Amino acid sequence: MTVPLSSRRRLTVCATLIAALAGGLAPLTIASAAPVDTRTTAPDMAGVAAALKAAMAEGAPGAMARYSGPGGVEARTVGIRDRKSGAAMDTRARFRIGSVTKTFSSVVLLQLVEERRLKLDAPVNTYLPRLLPDNRITVRHLLTHRSGLADYTNAMFEQTVPGFEAVRNRVFSYQELVDLSLAEPRTTEPGVSYQYSNANFVVVGMLIEKLTGRPVAEAYQRRIIKPLGLHNTAYVHPNTRIKGTHVRGYLHPDEAGARLVDSTEQTLSWAQSAGAVISSPAELNTFTSALMRGRLLSPAMLDAMTTVTPTDPARTRFYGLGLRRYDLSCGTRVYGHTGTVQGYYTYAFSTRDGRRSLAAMANTSNRGAANTALGGTLEAAFCGKKRAPASTARSAAPSGTPDRAPLPAERDLPERH
Ligand code: HEL
């Protein structure tokens, strides 16, 4: 029997609440999937370009954005993608997408759930015996950043450039990364609070490899890259180079006025399934749009993935299963992920119906103001020029926040949300 969509959403919300309560968790506010977005708002591409320029004014050598919607594709570039050659930013160029990789990993794992090869609410140790010191940590806790596994990258990159240079050519095993996390105190009891950690998606990678018996690269290839016909998207770990036309990444040192560090070549082994995918703006549009259109997951799994809880006090940001939701000032909800790896900031989001998508990147990092400015592309692209009626705008925007204020980037907030 087919369950109507609205009932399925109610069921998902109820099931999640029951699971949370049964697990003895702190009560959570569960926000269900957004209704299908039928707006046809045209993107404000001048606003998108202004946000890109603002990212440059904040220290990015270049930036670009590509929007795809019912009216077609629009792209904007500013600045350069290579400081040595002076080559202009180019929307055909590949770059490192950082934690947008987490959405790829989540899709693969949720497909394995669909295939009944694992259960979301089963302990991780069921599949990876004795890996974690707590049998209460479930697969869902990993995907929602509620496991309490410490983020070993905070210590690793406490000093930005020395931290990066110490790992840029290193190849870690998954176990070594888990050990780094377990050497630190856990940040929450399982399931109790959202504490973003790369360690969660390292364990997701281990689960994928254990259950498929193959490297994660093959899983991304077989389950996402090939079916969607992506030719510029790859998981190349531990190779350090980005093949083909690509954007070079420039890391800001902590010391004011110090020269930018070209951080393009690195193993990304410190992140692997938490952050090592390379892609392009068009292919990120294709990926987030296909995901939201249900081309990668069943309706039930997509409902699970888009069932979110708030991560910030203003309640404009949410996290589902390896997926963020941002509620924009015009009332539009967008789903996707952000990414920060040395030299690259990325945003890749789509509306819930997958009809509109935006990918934006700037070739710098450790410069929060540039990332926040880049985030302004979301408001411009999805809210367009027209202001929403006051009542809608007020209900979605945090009080006192102007309609078009860019959302601050996650690491620019005083606490990590
Ligand atoms: S951090 C985030 C972002 N995620 C997480 C992951 C990713 N990236 C990292 O963990 C890299 C952190 C170091 C980045 C480095 C820089 O700016 O290049 N910073 C420093 O070294 C600071 N000392 C939550 C922001 C996400 O958006 O999900 O990507």
Side-chain angles (χ1 to χ4, degrees):
M1 192 189 76
T2 316
V3 183
L5 197 61
S6 55
S7 315
R8 260 192 279 129
R9 283 203 179 110
R10 272 199 301 276
L11 284 175
T12 309
V13 173
C14 290
T16 314
L17 272 174
I18 291 164
L21 294 172
L25 310 180
L28 302 173
T29 307
I30 307 294
S32 67
V36 169
D37 174 35
T38 52
R39 287 160 197 260
T40 50
T41 319
D44 171 8
M45 293 309 293
V48 168
L52 299 178
K53 282 186 196 137
M56 270 188 77
E58 295 292 354
M64 62 177 159
R66 184 183 187 275
Y67 170 88
S68 169
V73 169
E74 299 243 29
R76 296 289 182 273
T77 60
V78 297
I80 52 175
R81 66 177 173 85
D82 186 330
R83 292 178 83 217
K84 222 182 232 168
S85 70
M89 189 54 82
D90 185 337
T91 55
R92 292 165 305 180
R94 301 167 183 172
F95 55 92
R96 299 193 183 279
I97 65 171
S99 288
V100 183
T101 302
K102 291 184 170 74
T103 311
F104 282 70
S105 302
S106 204
V107 165
V108 171
L109 202 70
L110 292 174
Q111 288 187 359
L112 294 170
V113 173
E114 266 168 24
E115 293 162 19
R116 299 181 190 282
R117 292 160 81 171
L118 84 165
K119 289 191 175 134
L120 272 178
D121 294 307
V124 171
N125 284 350
T126 310
Y127 310 103
L128 297 166
R130 295 177 300 283
L131 178 74
L132 302 181
D134 190 329
N135 283 331
R136 294 173 301 164
I137 299 175
T138 66
V139 174
R140 193 189 297 274
H141 293 153
L142 300 176
L143 295 173
T144 53
H145 292 295
R146 287 172 183 274
S147 67
L149 295 176
D151 194 344
Y152 56 86
T153 62
N154 291 333
M156 197 176 256
F157 301 127
E158 198 173 342
Q159 292 184 298
T160 303
V161 175
F164 170 61
E165 296 296 357
V167 298
R168 78 182 291 172
N169 291 309
R170 254 188 90 165
V171 179
F172 292 94
S173 67
Y174 276 134
Q175 185 65 54
E176 282 175 305
L177 297 177
V178 171
D179 290 345
L180 285 176
S181 170
L182 295 181
E184 294 183 31
R186 278 187 276 145
T187 54
T188 175
E189 285 292 302
V192 169
S193 73
Y194 168 87
Q195 303 288 339
Y196 190 102
S197 172
N198 287 306
N200 292 318
F201 281 79
V202 163
V203 179
V204 168
M206 292 177 94
L207 282 169
I208 292 170
E209 295 203 339
K210 178 74 188 286
L211 294 165
T212 63
R214 307 293 306 159
V216 281
E218 276 186 34
Y220 298 133
Q221 188 64 33
R222 195 168 81 73
R223 293 168 178 273
I224 301 173
I225 295 173
K226 194 152 178 256
L228 297 184
L230 309 179
H231 301 293
N232 292 310
T233 302
Y235 178 85
V236 297
H237 169 264
N239 290 346
T240 55
R241 288 184 51 240
I242 307 177
K243 284 193 187 142
T245 303
H246 60 275
V247 180
R248 297 199 71 81
Y250 299 97
L251 174 64
H252 275 277
D254 293 329
E255 301 73 27
R259 288 157 66 103
L260 290 174
V261 172
D262 185 329
S263 51
T264 313
E265 280 85 26
Q266 68 153 314
T267 58
L268 235 312
S269 197
W270 56 267
Q272 304 190 39
S273 45
V277 167
I278 287 160
S279 191
S280 69
E283 296 196 352
L284 286 179
N285 287 161
T286 302
F287 171 63
T288 56
S289 169
L291 174 60
M292 290 298 129
R293 286 174 187 265
R295 285 191 58 198
L296 295 170
L297 294 174
S298 68
M301 277 303 128
L302 195 51
D303 271 356
M305 194 181 203
T306 54
T307 296
V308 296
T309 55
T311 62
D312 71 335
R315 302 173 72 84
T316 56
R317 292 158 171 242
F318 302 82
Y319 208 87
L321 303 180
L323 191 74
R324 293 187 189 282
R325 187 182 99 194
Y326 283 179
D327 290 1
L328 303 178
S329 65
C330 53
T332 295
R333 294 169 171 181
V334 292
Y335 295 82
H337 218 289
T338 44
T340 299
V341 289
Q342 291 81 5
Y344 302 91
Y345 285 133
T346 306
Y347 289 76
F349 284 84
S350 275
T351 47
R352 180 62 185 83
D353 61 5
R355 293 171 76 222
R356 298 189 283 148
S357 50
L358 177 89
M361 73 83 59
N363 57 346
T364 198
S365 70
N366 197 37
R367 196 39 86 94
N371 197 17
T372 299
L374 185 69
T377 55
L378 291 175
E379 284 279 327
F382 292 112
C383 292
K385 273 198 193 104
K386 278 186 221 129
R387 279 165 170 247
S391 57
T392 321
R394 259 202 307 275
S395 64
S399 59
T401 306
D403 260 10
R404 298 296 297 273
L407 291 158
E410 180 160 294
R411 278 218 166 154
D412 307 333
L413 295 168
E415 286 170 32
R416 217 173 191 205
H417 295 295

